[in-house]
Amino acid sequence: MCAAPMGMLPACGPGVDMLASWAEGLGQSRAGVQSRECLRFAFYGRVSTEDWQDPVTSRARQLQQAVMLTAGHGTIVAQFFDTVESRTLPWARRPQAAALVAQLADPDRGWDAIVIGEYERAFYGNQYASMAPLFEHYGIQLWMPEVGGRVDWHAEDHEQTMLALGLSSKREITRTRIRVRTAMATQTREQGRYLGGRPPYGYRLADAGPHPNKAHAAWGRRAHRLEPDPATAPVVTWMFSQRLAGHSAARITRALNDAGVPCPSAADPGRNPHRTGSGWTLRTVAAILANPRYTGRQVWNRQRTDFDLADPANTTLGHKQVQRWNLPGGWVISKHPAHAALVSETDFIAAQDSTAPRGPAGPAARRYLLAGLLACGQCGRRLESAWSNGKPAYRCRHGYTSATRPEPGRPPNTYVREDQILPHLAAIAILLAGPARKPDWTNRGLAQLTGPDSTAALIDQLRSGGTVLTYDPQDRTLRVGDPDTPSVIIGKKH
């Protein structure tokens, strides 16, 4: 039964403040009316994981705490429970919490107060401070065990309690994150322990005995280590040998596809249900060639998790997790070999160094004056820079890469050397000057107007003006603008 205190009549007699007595009695009377009506509660709860917590048990426990807290004050008529949602997510990004918030403005929502079984299940950091004004605006009460019932929006002790609980909730997450990362770094560096995840292509998991944690071992958990996979380890070794022989990652990719070697997702479909397994890609080959675990060392922290604002224009949405690659200086490497190596450390390092461009001119000597200024007249793509016979050149592969076999009927790659274009930039400049200076385009000698002293100035003019030159490989011409504009012939037609 809900309590029903009665209103009071103003007291009479000498020395009695009738107005104050009347106001006090009216307040008690209205409180009694609200109490007699009983509160209708909406319960909110949350569980962060399904692997280490039982959502059914956790929900029952939180709901039981809420029922005990509201006993004699009302009835829980609605439930909102988020599963596999972190407390660090703001309410707007938790599905059930967002659904609860969406009902606040509805006068027919069917409930008058929110009850929470445990503070940490609902709030984190300053989330209470951002949600309390919203609840108060719509006249919704908030009940929590930590204050023994209803939260008083304006009571200083309640405000301080909520602030302390928010900091404690955030501290718990931060402390756990630091403790876990420190433990994983130590286990990698000192023990070379396999820390989970999918084994790299070329390896498979092998039993390494009981789990080193006695409690986990008592539950039957086993430790694991990596061992070479007889079917895929030779492929990894071959890939490194090809890289050390000077072959590009694209050429290695194409060779694997031509030979019909199953790609990682096809070789282990059980661990890769989200991938098609259709063939090797350049990114996959590059990732394998860059993985230091093939040296036999255990390596951890190659990737880190950053927390970026979900929306810089709306900081109340909190942060989102973003995976980024660490530089090698941030890796944690085991002191000793942890599993059989598929490539020596010397060869692995040499393979990383071989990613630099190869050719008669070193990387520092390669300059492409027209990089980014040329487009393909056949497909519209920008021409890419390519070193050809010791000279700068530009090419377009029309969306194809050397990692895949050419399809029948695809147009041939477009190539044009830089020294074929530079002498004709003056004619392009005349085109840009406007119709008043339009030359006679039947006179090819007009295209031979520039010299080395003016080349840099002309290129700077093109870049500053955002000009793109379109090269047509069929006519061997350059033009500025749409196909109807005059063009400059830079070589013999095919």
Side-chain angles (χ1 to χ4, degrees):
M1 297 286 295
C2 296
M6 299 298 294
M8 298 177 59
L9 295 175
C12 300
V16 176
D17 189 335
M18 292 186 62
L19 182 61
S21 177
W22 169 81
E24 180 180 358
L26 183 61
Q28 292 180 358
S29 175
R30 291 186 175 180
V33 171
Q34 184 178 26
S35 180
R36 285 195 301 273
E37 291 177 351
C38 296
L39 288 174
R40 298 169 300 173
F41 288 94
F43 162 74
Y44 176 74
R46 180 193 58 82
V47 62
S48 57
T49 65
E50 290 182 312
D51 296 333
W52 300 102
Q53 301 179 66
D54 178 11
V56 176
T57 302
S58 179
R59 179 171 186 161
R61 177 179 59 81
Q62 296 176 51
L63 182 59
Q64 180 63 27
Q65 290 175 319
V67 170
M68 294 173 61
L69 181 66
T70 58
H73 301 281
T75 306
I76 295 177
V77 297
Q79 299 185 24
F80 301 85
F81 193 84
D82 279 308
T83 303
V84 196
E85 300 293 343
S86 171
R87 74 178 75 172
T88 61
L89 289 177
W91 280 48
R93 294 172 58 196
R94 305 180 202 167
Q96 289 297 306
L100 184 152
V101 172
Q103 294 186 18
L104 291 178
D106 183 4
D108 299 324
R109 58 182 170 268
W111 43 269
D112 318 296
I114 299 172
V115 59
I116 295 167
E118 185 178 336
Y119 177 93
E120 289 79 4
R121 300 295 175 176
F123 302 113
Y124 166 87
N126 64 347
Q127 290 177 1
Y128 168 82
S130 64
M131 296 302 301
L134 186 64
F135 297 152
E136 183 181 11
H137 174 77
Y138 288 109
I140 299 297
Q141 297 183 17
L142 178 64
W143 287 54
M144 299 175 59
E146 287 77 5
V147 296
R150 181 177 67 87
V151 176
D152 188 336
W153 307 123
H154 305 290
E156 183 177 357
D157 59 333
H158 283 199
E159 187 72 22
Q160 291 178 349
T161 300
M162 295 298 105
L163 177 62
L165 288 171
L167 294 175
S168 176
S169 178
K170 186 172 183 178
R171 177 178 177 271
E172 179 185 351
I173 292 292
T174 303
R175 183 178 60 182
T176 300
R177 183 181 297 125
I178 293 175
R179 184 171 65 244
V180 169
R181 288 184 57 83
T182 302
M184 295 179 74
T186 301
Q187 291 167 1
T188 299
R189 184 183 300 108
E190 303 297 334
Q191 303 173 0
R193 187 189 300 183
Y194 171 75
L195 298 178
R198 289 180 296 174
Y201 177 81
Y203 287 105
R204 64 185 182 185
L205 292 181
D207 185 81
H211 196 280
N213 185 301
K214 293 183 178 180
H216 288 267
W219 298 337
R221 296 188 63 191
R222 309 284 294 179
H224 296 90
R225 59 180 174 81
L226 297 176
E227 69 174 13
D229 186 334
T232 58
V235 178
V236 175
T237 303
W238 176 84
M239 292 168 63
F240 276 99
S241 67
Q242 294 296 299
R243 189 60 173 151
L244 293 172
H247 298 301
S248 67
R251 183 172 180 178
I252 296 172
T253 303
R254 179 175 175 179
L256 290 168
N257 286 326
D258 288 347
V261 177
C263 64
S265 55
D268 190 5
R271 292 180 181 270
N272 299 273
H274 58 297
R275 301 185 185 277
T276 61
S278 58
W280 289 85
T281 65
L282 183 59
R283 180 176 295 182
T284 301
V285 171
I288 290 175
L289 294 174
N291 192 339
R293 298 173 75 184
Y294 291 113
T295 64
R297 300 284 195 96
Q298 188 62 269
V299 182
W300 177 75
N301 201 40
R302 294 182 65 211
Q303 277 189 311
R304 69 182 187 274
T305 301
D306 291 339
F307 294 87
D308 295 351
L309 284 173
D311 183 359
N314 184 4
T315 57
T316 62
L317 294 180
H319 295 75
K320 60 181 179 181
Q321 296 186 10
V322 180
Q323 296 290 326
R324 292 190 173 95
W325 290 101
N326 281 326
L327 295 174
W331 298 352
V332 178
I333 304 174
S334 62
K335 292 183 177 180
H336 307 287
H339 47 264
L342 301 186
V343 62
S344 69
E345 294 182 16
T346 302
D347 287 347
F348 175 80
I349 295 174
Q352 309 315 299
D353 294 338
S354 68
T355 58
R358 306 172 65 88
R366 297 186 177 186
R367 296 183 60 201
Y368 299 94
L369 300 178
L370 302 176
L373 295 177
L374 302 174
C376 177
Q378 287 186 298
C379 66
R381 294 180 173 87
R382 294 294 178 98
L383 299 189
E384 60 185 24
S385 304
W387 204 253
S388 177
N389 297 320
K391 296 181 180 180
Y394 304 90
R395 70 180 179 185
C396 180
R397 295 182 285 184
H398 313 297
Y400 296 91
T401 70
S402 55
T404 58
R405 179 183 292 275
E407 296 181 2
R410 61 163 285 192
N413 292 345
T414 296
Y415 283 93
V416 58
R417 295 200 316 271
E418 188 174 88
D419 59 9
Q420 294 175 309
I421 300 176
L422 295 180
H424 304 281
L425 289 184
I428 295 297
I430 294 175
L431 278 178
L432 295 174
R437 300 185 59 185
K438 185 180 295 184
D440 179 6
W441 299 108
T442 61
N443 183 2
R444 292 183 53 196
L446 184 61
Q448 310 294 332
L449 293 177
T450 188
D453 294 338
S454 59
T455 298
L458 290 172
I459 293 175
D460 289 342
Q461 178 186 350
L462 294 174
R463 291 193 186 280
S464 61
T467 304
V468 176
L469 307 179
T470 300
Y471 173 68
D472 189 334
Q474 298 296 327
D475 298 333
R476 301 289 298 250
T477 58
L478 278 177
R479 70 171 187 271
V480 180
D482 57 60
D484 295 332
T485 58
S487 56
V488 178
I489 300 175
I490 66 172
K492 296 181 179 180
K493 296 183 179 181
H494 296 297

